[in-house]
Amino acid sequence: MAGRKLLLLLKPFDVYTVRQSNGISHITNPLMAQILQHLENRCKVHKDAINFCQDILSKKPIEWEPVFRNNLSRPIRNVDLVVTVGGDGTLLQAGHLIDDSIPVLGVNSDPTQVEEVDMFSNEFDASRSKGYLCAATVNNFEQLLDNILEGKTVPSNLSRILIRVNSKSLPTFALNDILIAHPCPAMVSRFSFKIKSDGMPCSPLVNCRSSGLRVSTAAGSSAAMLSAGGFIMPILSHDLQYMVREPISPAAATSSLMHGLVKSDQSMEAMWFCKEGFVYIDGSHVFVSIQNGDVIEISSKAPALKVFLPPNLVY
């Protein structure tokens, strides 16, 4: 890859900045001052990581360009590698703009410090970035980059979700999960779904009143799906996991049809029965509106995303 192009995609480093003109010094509540200082420290660690990665890249025989993720909305093309500096959120955003030809290396710029979490456990949550999909930190970034440039390390193919609304494919693929729900979380979502294989139903039709339907990839099974009671899937699996969130009927809550798998050769077809709704893609920032009678088809037939993963996820 020597002599080729690299895009450095950055999480903004002012996300946690204390914006008051006189900083933290005017805060009289000791706990609040401590929390704000923690956030300021996070900002500094992230900014230092950006500078570190840029210094490393300046020494390599490659052409590279830094871009803050908020300033990038068009598909990423004409580069040979994308390096994201932030956490899983920055890598997810890159995944929305990349096809299956450009690999991604995630740098966790602000890893959680176990000692810090323990120290403040009785006061506030001092967790930082989990960086589940990020193979690099400042400690190993240069070595990983060298291995990639020399062809010693190859990326893994992560499944993404292809979403079709009324037979029209959405331009964005989900790397983690999708949530089909009413825009107001207090409202009941009404929908039905069935699993299909080769265009024919292979499961009963399930009618639901709940707070929504979540479908995750293997990569996303360790995120919101796990928190909701799902299970972690092998990272390279091409199956999808689904769960009906908070079904209203007591009988439905215990039904095996509320939680299961959509195999790689299958698809899920859901029909929406509310006046309005959204399909949320990898969180709350990317979404598509749906309305009564819309049919949403979900499968793992999207182009894979090439990601250099941490060794513990692959082996």
Side-chain angles (χ1 to χ4, degrees):
M1 195 179 289
R4 297 187 180 179
K5 295 182 179 180
L6 180 151
L7 178 70
L8 188 67
L9 190 64
L10 310 171
K11 182 177 84 171
F13 54 71
D14 62 345
V15 173
Y16 301 111
T17 301
V18 178
R19 299 183 182 275
Q20 292 87 346
S21 59
N22 55 345
I24 299 173
S25 59
H26 75 292
I27 302 295
T28 57
N29 184 309
L31 179 58
M32 182 60 66
Q34 196 172 46
I35 293 172
L36 292 177
Q37 185 62 61
H38 170 72
L39 297 179
E40 286 283 12
N41 290 341
R42 292 187 64 177
C43 178
K44 181 179 185 305
V45 170
H46 175 60
K47 187 174 182 178
D48 289 346
I50 291 176
N51 292 334
F52 176 85
C53 292
Q54 290 178 324
D55 288 344
I56 295 298
L57 290 174
S58 66
K59 303 173 186 176
K60 305 299 176 182
I62 51 177
E63 179 183 343
W64 60 279
E65 176 188 7
V67 178
F68 285 105
R69 70 185 190 192
N70 293 352
N71 298 330
L72 190 65
S73 58
R74 293 180 295 179
I76 298 171
R77 297 191 177 97
N78 302 318
V79 298
D80 302 287
L81 174 67
V82 172
V83 174
T84 63
V85 184
D88 285 332
T90 307
L91 194 151
L92 284 171
Q93 185 163 349
H96 292 166
L97 302 171
I98 300 177
D99 60 18
D100 57 353
S101 66
I102 303 173
V104 183
L105 171 65
V107 180
N108 185 356
S109 63
D110 187 28
T112 291
Q113 308 298 316
V114 176
E115 300 82 1
E116 185 179 53
V117 174
D118 292 341
M119 181 185 304
F120 296 117
S121 61
N122 293 326
E123 296 160 341
F124 63 93
D125 183 2
S127 299
R128 300 187 177 214
S129 173
K130 185 175 182 180
Y132 180 71
L133 299 176
C134 297
T137 65
V138 294
N139 296 325
N140 66 347
F141 172 64
E142 184 170 17
Q143 184 61 61
L144 270 175
L145 180 64
D146 287 343
N147 289 343
I148 293 170
L149 296 178
E150 295 168 11
K152 296 179 180 179
T153 301
V154 296
S156 299
N157 292 322
L158 295 186
S159 290
R160 291 189 283 186
I161 300 175
L162 174 66
I163 310 128
R164 291 190 175 100
V165 177
N166 299 329
S167 301
K168 183 178 180 180
S169 297
L170 300 186
T172 302
F173 309 124
L175 178 60
N176 255 8
D177 56 31
I178 66 169
L179 173 64
I180 304 173
H182 195 280
C184 174
M187 292 289 291
V188 174
S189 296
R190 291 175 171 83
F191 57 92
S192 67
F193 70 87
K194 57 188 172 184
I195 310 299
K196 301 175 70 175
S197 179
D198 294 326
M200 300 299 293
C202 60
S203 78
L205 178 68
V206 183
N207 295 300
C208 301
R209 291 190 304 147
S210 76
S211 61
L213 173 67
R214 187 182 301 279
V215 183
S216 83
T217 63
S221 65
S222 64
M225 182 63 75
L226 180 64
S227 298
F231 53 86
I232 296 179
M233 302 163 64
I235 191 72
L236 300 183
S237 171
H238 296 293
D239 297 340
L240 302 178
Q241 184 178 171
Y242 72 87
M243 179 179 290
V244 175
R245 298 199 317 167
E246 302 168 332
I248 290 177
S249 167
T254 59
S255 170
S256 61
L257 298 174
M258 297 295 105
H259 179 209
L261 291 176
V262 181
K263 307 297 287 185
S264 60
D265 60 347
Q266 299 174 336
S267 64
M268 171 182 279
E269 183 179 276
M271 181 171 284
W272 185 250
F273 295 122
C274 292
K275 183 179 179 180
E276 56 183 335
F278 286 129
V279 179
Y280 296 95
I281 303 173
D282 287 335
S284 60
H285 297 296
V286 180
F287 54 87
V288 175
S289 63
I290 53 176
Q291 57 188 358
N292 185 32
D294 281 350
V295 177
I296 305 100
E297 184 181 352
I298 304 153
S299 72
S300 59
K301 295 179 174 61
L305 183 68
K306 297 183 182 299
V307 182
F308 294 97
L309 292 172
N312 64 292
L313 293 184
V314 183
Y315 305 110

